[in-house]
Amino acid sequence: MINRKDLLGLKELSAEEINYILKTAETMKYVLLQKNKKTPHLQGKAVITLFYENSTRTRLSFELAAKYMSASAANISASTSSVLKGETLIDTGKTIDMMGTDILIIRHPMSGAPHLLAKNVNASVINAGDGMNEHPTQALLDMLTIKEKKGKIEGLKVAIIGDIAHSRVAHSNIWGLTKLGAEVSIAGPSTLIPKDIEKTGAKVFNSVQEALLDADVVMGLRIQLERQKKGLFPTIREYARFFGIDDKRLLLAKKDAILLHPGPVNRGVELSSEVIDGGISLINEQVTNGVAVRMAILYLFSRRGAHYENID
Amino acid sequence: MRILIKNGFVLDPENNRADFLDIYIEEGIIVEIGKELDYTGGEIEIIDAQGKIVAPGLIDMHCHLRDPGFEYKEDIESGTRSAAVGGFTSIACMPNTNPPIDNEPIIEYIRTKSKSVGVVNVYPVGAITKGLKGEELAEIGELKFAGAVAISDDGNPVMNPSLMRRALQYANMFDIPVISHCEDKELVDGGVMNEGYMSTYLGLKGITRAAEEVMVARDVILAGETGASLHIAHVSTAGSVEIIRQAKAKGVRVTCETCPHYFTLTEKAVEGYNTFAKMNPPLRTEEDVEAIKEGLRDGTIDVIATDHAPHHIDEKNVEFDKALNGIVGFETALALGITYLVDAGVLTMGQLIEKMCVNPAKILGLNKGSLGINKPADIIVIDPKEEFTVDINKFQSRSKNSPYHGYKLKGTVHYTIVGGKVVVMQKILL
């Protein structure tokens, strides 16, 4: 079912591919919840993370996923590597590639960097977040979480609130969720809504209240505080007042709505603390599902070149 | 050296010539143009232009030769050779070299070097401000007398409107045109491609069309007020075309150019993070392409320039955000004009020659752009029907950054004659 070398984004994937990854992730979650988490799926495979941006959860999540499945795993941070000596992305990638790397996981502040890397290395490239473009594994773990709780994705109303323009999490979710038949509503400061986003199939609302109305799933996004300095919104205070999600606003969503956030959260800004720690928040569940999704991704993409139909 | 060009269809819009005529050249000068000229004798080269168009050599008023300072991208020798195979006999090079063309010795360097190693005429464009920094006026009078044909801070807009106003006032006194690179840096705000669905799709930071249009509007207002001659470089948006159209109707002394990429490509070319489609201003949309064509058709856009901008492959084979702006243009410009404008019925062949030759000569005040008796023989012989496939590896330019690799285009340059010297013969650079 997965015949591609690289996972660069959800906009390139078909609904079938996404569903296949989610199905595999469900199996991986079962493995993850066992007392002994070691599996041999990636024995003899080398998995490298190459991060040009800081990260706690995504990197650790990939690293644990690789280790649970018996891969040889190593991490490279741009801040402590030859990148500081001015090495180009392609040169760094080729060096890692030539050491026998099977899967190269990259996070980069510039959109399209994983695509450039993918064209220049033999290893499978997994995008762990590129600029404002995509963060496919985050969206997949969000979708896994939704599917677990709601039993489906098709027909659900998902409200994504906040800085849509700069959020690769939002972008990947919009691509993935619309492909699986969800109705995506977005709202945020008009200065943070990307141009022509409606063409993706997402609906843009002027107020958070309208977007939240009858939502099955509410997704908050991290607001980068430096956006305020760039004049994209007046103050954190005003942001929280008009775009923050609190208990009162959540009443507009369906009674059984669930709440997601990719983390790390600015408490009291995009989400109130009551909401974060409240009953409908699945923020912690998302973290666990992140490992399951990444196990599935590593497993599926490490089998490149095989005839997958014959394996299952 | 005597040359007789026979049997060609001579297209010389400036002199209203469009007929089967022969041209006789002696000592680099056009001596006679007429029907079935009969010159014989030993030392004469006969060029048979049967089935071809004979036109004045093309003039590119906007290119980057990268010399001095960035010779690894291009230099005067490779750049002029690239121009010659593209049918250009005169080119005006922008001042963003290192050091920049903001003083007489650099102009002298370019003139001397182009005379010794260049194969086409090179006209330097001087800087508007010292060091292209947008802070203080360059010595515009000295630049003019040293040989600058225009002034521009191309690549950098003059952001300070008061300084731009002074530049126009001051340049007007010396009767030298000001070429404005219209881009409001504050509105660009780190953008790397046109703002629209494609920028959202690719997750790249967009550049609003307003970044160009605000500056075009500012500069035509300043030109109107000062009475100076303003030329807007590389117009890329429908809005800019409309602002210039209105300014011309009001009698402002404004001219403008576009480049082949703005009437042949859209932002879609960026898909896949194609850095060969990264330029400044960025590729826009279908709607803009149509407006550019309409501007060419109705005369709002006077000139087609290449904005030939060579870059080393290492400067393009990087993350899209990091890639430098620009594409090489000499060797595809004429064929793109023929294929996308003449064949598409937007312009006649004569109008294309006007925009790539007559009008730039007029704007820059060059005594060129036509086939007159006693004029230097800058002539091209082209086959507007011959097809070819663009192969960037065959470019004469030192750089290969072109988005047109593999394109099938029409229009080949068979001869390029510069001052009576044959530089390209039967499509081969000598």
Side-chain angles (χ1 to χ4, degrees):
Chain A
M1 285 291 281
I2 302 289
N3 271 312
R4 52 183 78 237
K5 169 177 166 280
D6 311 294
L7 177 62
L8 301 176
L10 294 193
K11 67 173 163 266
E12 290 93 0
L13 296 192
S14 65
E16 292 72 35
E17 286 173 298
I18 295 171
N19 278 322
Y20 188 70
I21 294 169
L22 294 178
K23 201 177 123 226
T24 311
E26 283 167 18
T27 312
M28 291 302 175
K29 184 155 186 196
Y30 176 79
V31 173
L32 184 61
L33 297 176
Q34 300 308 304
K35 284 204 173 81
N36 186 341
K37 292 184 280 278
K38 205 77 170 173
T39 79
H41 287 100
L42 294 182
Q43 199 144 32
K45 301 282 184 188
V47 176
I48 309 295
T49 65
L50 174 61
F51 273 49
Y52 287 78
E53 281 181 348
N54 296 330
S55 161
T56 309
R57 68 197 70 209
T58 304
R59 193 164 116 172
L60 184 60
S61 180
F62 268 113
E63 186 178 351
L64 287 174
K67 287 180 171 166
Y68 291 158
M69 292 193 293
S70 310
S72 306
N75 301 316
I76 303 167
S77 287
S79 54
T80 56
S81 72
S82 52
V83 173
L84 286 186
K85 299 177 188 168
E87 190 171 55
T88 66
L89 176 62
I90 293 177
D91 287 346
T92 304
K94 281 185 172 162
T95 304
I96 298 168
D97 201 34
M98 293 314 286
M99 292 187 189
T101 301
D102 297 287
I103 295 185
L104 182 46
I105 297 153
I106 178 175
R107 168 168 288 190
H108 198 286
M110 295 176 188
S111 301
H115 306 64
L116 179 69
L117 188 64
K119 275 186 235 166
N120 288 281
V121 297
N122 292 314
S124 286
V125 173
I126 307 297
N127 182 359
D130 66 322
M132 308 187 294
N133 181 39
E134 285 223 45
H135 191 352
T137 57
Q138 175 70 41
L140 286 165
L141 77 86
D142 292 337
M143 287 190 274
L144 178 65
T145 311
I146 295 169
K147 217 177 149 203
E148 271 183 358
K149 293 293 161 185
K150 297 285 172 193
K152 60 168 188 178
I153 286 175
E154 192 173 359
L156 294 182
K157 187 176 169 188
V158 182
I160 306 179
I161 310 296
D163 178 359
I164 310 293
H166 299 93
S167 173
R168 53 200 178 204
V169 174
H171 295 167
S172 282
N173 267 299
I174 290 170
W175 296 119
L177 288 166
T178 51
K179 278 180 195 203
L180 296 195
E183 187 189 314
V184 178
S185 312
I186 60 178
S190 50
T191 46
L192 294 172
I193 301 294
K195 184 111 168 162
D196 295 339
I197 188 76
E198 319 78 53
K199 287 191 189 168
T200 61
K203 280 190 192 149
V204 182
F205 291 91
N206 265 330
S207 73
V208 169
Q209 286 87 339
E210 285 171 273
L212 287 177
L213 198 64
D214 290 329
D216 297 287
V217 180
V218 178
M219 190 180 294
L221 298 172
R222 180 179 169 78
I223 180 84
Q224 302 273 339
L225 301 180
E226 60 265 27
R227 307 279 177 227
Q228 183 267 329
K229 297 268 189 297
K230 289 212 72 186
L232 289 161
F233 59 93
T235 56
I236 298 294
R237 180 172 167 269
E238 174 144 320
Y239 184 90
R241 174 170 169 188
F242 287 95
F243 307 102
I245 300 169
D246 56 17
D247 283 335
K248 210 171 123 208
R249 285 200 175 129
L250 268 184
L251 291 175
L252 293 163
K254 286 206 180 123
K255 275 203 169 67
D256 59 348
I258 57 171
L259 178 86
L260 305 176
H261 188 290
V265 190
N266 296 302
R267 283 180 175 261
V269 184
E270 64 259 14
L271 300 180
S272 69
S273 284
E274 300 78 56
V275 166
I276 297 168
D277 304 322
I280 72 164
S281 164
L282 296 174
I283 294 173
N284 294 328
E285 193 73 17
Q286 282 174 279
V287 175
T288 308
N289 284 344
V291 181
V293 156
R294 285 162 187 132
M295 286 169 77
I297 296 290
L298 294 178
Y299 171 57
L300 293 173
F301 282 84
S302 70
R303 299 192 309 165
R304 180 163 55 89
H307 295 282
Y308 309 115
E309 307 90 279
N310 302 336
I311 286 179
D312 293 322
Chain B
M1 186 66 183
R2 300 155 68 212
I3 301 172
L4 180 61
I5 306 171
K6 286 190 73 72
N7 307 324
F9 186 79
V10 172
L11 205 47
D12 178 13
E14 186 65 352
N15 294 313
N16 290 315
R17 282 197 192 98
D19 200 358
F20 291 96
L21 296 166
D22 296 348
I23 300 176
Y24 175 65
I25 301 157
E26 206 175 282
E27 299 299 328
I29 302 290
I30 298 172
V31 174
E32 192 179 357
I33 301 176
K35 288 266 179 198
E36 293 172 31
L37 296 186
D38 186 22
Y39 284 91
T40 43
E43 301 277 312
I44 187 162
E45 182 173 346
I46 310 260
I47 294 172
D48 183 8
Q50 179 85 43
K52 303 196 174 57
I53 289 174
V54 180
L58 304 180
I59 297 171
D60 186 12
M61 67 180 293
H62 190 150
C63 73
H64 301 268
L65 293 180
R66 308 297 190 206
D67 188 353
F70 307 99
E71 295 85 350
Y72 67 95
K73 300 177 196 240
E74 192 86 286
D75 63 14
I76 288 171
E77 187 175 2
S78 64
T80 56
R81 288 167 69 85
S82 175
V85 293
F88 293 93
T89 54
S90 295
I91 57 179
C93 59
M94 284 295 168
N96 58 343
T97 47
N98 186 22
I101 312 178
D102 66 353
N103 59 72
E104 185 169 359
I106 300 294
I107 295 217
E108 266 317 304
Y109 163 82
I110 290 168
R111 285 163 63 95
T112 310
K113 188 166 177 187
S114 55
K115 277 194 186 105
S116 66
V117 300
V119 297
V120 305
N121 304 303
V122 177
Y123 296 96
V125 175
I128 297 174
T129 66
K130 290 189 188 87
L132 308 171
K133 290 197 177 112
E135 290 163 3
E136 300 169 7
L137 290 182
E139 292 170 328
I140 294 167
E142 178 169 293
L143 289 168
K144 156 99 181 183
F145 282 92
V149 291
I151 53 167
S152 180
D153 274 5
D154 186 59
N156 302 320
V158 179
M159 279 296 290
N160 179 338
S162 177
L163 187 64
M164 187 63 176
R165 181 166 168 270
R166 303 251 185 268
L168 286 160
Q169 282 178 329
Y170 193 80
N172 196 24
M173 169 176 67
F174 288 104
D175 198 23
I176 186 168
V178 178
I179 302 176
S180 177
H181 166 111
C182 289
E183 177 191 13
D184 187 315
K185 284 284 186 196
E186 300 290 339
L187 279 169
V188 170
D189 191 26
V192 293
M193 70 172 294
N194 184 51
E195 183 181 77
Y197 179 63
M198 273 314 283
S199 61
T200 296
Y201 180 84
L202 292 169
L204 291 170
K205 190 156 167 42
I207 302 171
T208 165
R209 291 178 183 80
E212 175 175 321
E213 292 160 5
V214 160
M215 283 297 240
V216 171
R218 182 198 80 173
D219 286 354
V220 296
I221 289 166
L222 294 175
E225 190 217 29
T226 58
S229 167
L230 171 72
H231 178 80
I232 308 285
H234 41 55
V235 169
S236 76
T237 76
S240 296
V241 175
E242 187 50 34
I243 294 164
I244 295 163
R245 185 177 285 130
Q246 287 174 15
K248 283 187 164 187
K250 280 190 196 156
V252 176
R253 287 174 69 201
V254 60
T255 55
C256 71
E257 75 196 23
T258 191
C259 311
H261 31 288
Y262 302 121
F263 60 76
T264 58
L265 297 173
T266 67
E267 58 179 9
K268 286 204 179 75
V270 178
E271 198 170 353
Y273 303 95
N274 177 14
T275 57
F276 280 9
K278 184 178 177 184
M279 52 266 289
N280 188 15
L283 295 173
R284 307 289 183 179
T285 62
E286 205 59 57
E287 185 196 335
D288 297 289
V289 166
E290 287 310 311
I292 295 288
K293 286 184 185 169
E294 184 51 36
L296 284 163
R297 197 187 340 244
D298 73 9
T300 302
I301 301 176
D302 307 88
V303 169
I304 296 169
T306 65
D307 198 2
H308 179 81
H311 287 300
H312 193 273
I313 187 65
D314 287 348
E315 294 164 329
K316 283 290 193 181
N317 203 8
V318 291
E319 297 88 326
F320 194 88
D321 286 353
K322 276 189 188 166
L324 297 184
N325 283 309
I327 62 171
V328 291
F330 288 141
E331 295 171 60
T332 47
L334 177 63
L336 288 166
I338 290 172
T339 311
Y340 285 82
L341 299 176
V342 178
D343 277 10
V346 178
L347 297 180
T348 64
M349 193 66 207
Q351 288 168 326
L352 183 67
I353 299 292
E354 278 177 359
K355 294 190 195 288
M356 296 186 77
C357 167
V358 179
N359 295 343
K362 281 184 187 162
I363 292 163
L364 299 178
L366 308 178
N367 181 26
K368 293 192 175 291
S370 67
L371 301 173
I373 307 298
N374 290 329
K375 279 201 165 193
D378 289 351
I379 300 173
I380 52 171
V381 178
I382 58 178
D383 184 342
K385 296 207 163 60
E386 188 177 21
E387 291 192 6
F388 70 104
T389 303
V390 178
D391 182 353
I392 56 173
N393 302 307
K394 291 190 177 147
F395 281 174
Q396 290 293 334
S397 172
R398 185 159 294 154
S399 293
K400 317 296 175 194
N401 50 311
S402 165
Y404 298 109
H405 184 64
Y407 271 55
K408 282 198 171 51
L409 301 177
K410 254 192 198 172
T412 52
V413 177
H414 284 249
Y415 284 85
T416 303
I417 301 167
V418 183
K421 187 172 174 232
V422 178
V423 179
V424 173
M425 180 189 273
Q426 292 178 354
K427 297 200 274 185
I428 292 164
L429 183 73
L430 298 180

